[in-house]
Amino acid sequence: MTDAAEKLCARCGRRMQWRKKWARNWDSVKYCSDACRRQRLTTVDAELESTILSLLKQRATGATICPSEAARQVAASDWRALMEPARQAARRLVAQRRIDITQQGHVVDASTARGPIRLRLRDG
């Protein structure tokens, strides 16, 4: 299969590649794993996405935020539990072409970024 046969998981935002077992229903595949299919999207996920966008719009053009800022705003007492959901929300926003994920000031692939990341509104 080619790169055109790649999709993004609706839950975690990571890139999925075509698999032979999905040949008959590739067009309807939405999730990369059983875990993502079970968890689905929640109201907290939507709140994280909107919080990320809201925080970025309050900043100067080109400024960045850490995903932890959104997690802290959504759940101040238990923000650490929201760190991975905040990163997932960021990956979904990248897929929608609304933000970029950066490391050391350079845009990185949302599916493969490891370590500390920053988020910024997409140019244009």
Side-chain angles (χ1 to χ4, degrees), residues 65-82:
I65 65 165
C66 178
S68 66
E69 293 178 54
R72 283 184 174 111
Q73 191 163 338
V74 171
S77 62
D78 194 24
W79 65 271
R80 290 184 200 282
L82 290 183

Side-chain angles (χ1 to χ4, degrees), residues 75-94:
S77 62
D78 194 24
W79 65 271
R80 290 184 200 282
L82 290 183
M83 280 306 296
E84 184 54 29
R87 289 174 70 102
Q88 291 172 350
R91 286 192 294 267
R92 288 190 302 273
L93 290 170
V94 167

Side-chain angles (χ1 to χ4, degrees), residues 5-94:
E6 290 182 347
K7 287 183 170 188
L8 296 177
C9 177
R11 168 75 176 130
C12 69
R14 287 202 168 97
R15 190 175 330 130
M16 302 185 289
Q17 291 185 339
W18 183 87
R19 298 178 189 168
K20 189 175 181 178
K21 71 178 189 175
W22 290 339
R24 285 182 281 171
N25 63 343
W26 178 244
D27 291 336
S28 63
V29 172
K30 293 182 183 179
Y31 303 101
C32 65
S33 65
D34 289 336
C36 281
R37 183 176 15 275
R38 277 191 305 271
Q39 292 174 355
R40 308 221 179 203
L41 292 175
T42 65
T43 55
V44 171
D45 294 317
E47 191 174 352
L48 283 166
E49 287 182 26
S50 65
T51 301
I52 289 169
L53 292 173
S54 174
L55 288 170
L56 287 170
K57 288 176 182 173
Q58 294 171 13
R59 303 286 167 96
T61 303
T64 63
I65 65 165
C66 178
S68 66
E69 293 178 54
R72 283 184 174 111
Q73 191 163 338
V74 171
S77 62
D78 194 24
W79 65 271
R80 290 184 200 282
L82 290 183
M83 280 306 296
E84 184 54 29
R87 289 174 70 102
Q88 291 172 350
R91 286 192 294 267
R92 288 190 302 273
L93 290 170
V94 167

Side-chain angles (χ1 to χ4, degrees), residues 81-124:
L82 290 183
M83 280 306 296
E84 184 54 29
R87 289 174 70 102
Q88 291 172 350
R91 286 192 294 267
R92 288 190 302 273
L93 290 170
V94 167
Q96 297 169 19
R97 301 187 185 286
R98 299 182 79 182
I99 69 168
D100 288 322
I101 292 179
T102 64
Q103 285 182 320
Q104 298 179 348
H106 303 298
V107 176
V108 295
D109 181 5
S111 291
T112 59
R114 301 287 182 255
I117 61 172
R118 303 287 297 179
L119 314 175
R120 73 172 179 213
L121 283 176
R122 186 166 276 208
D123 295 333

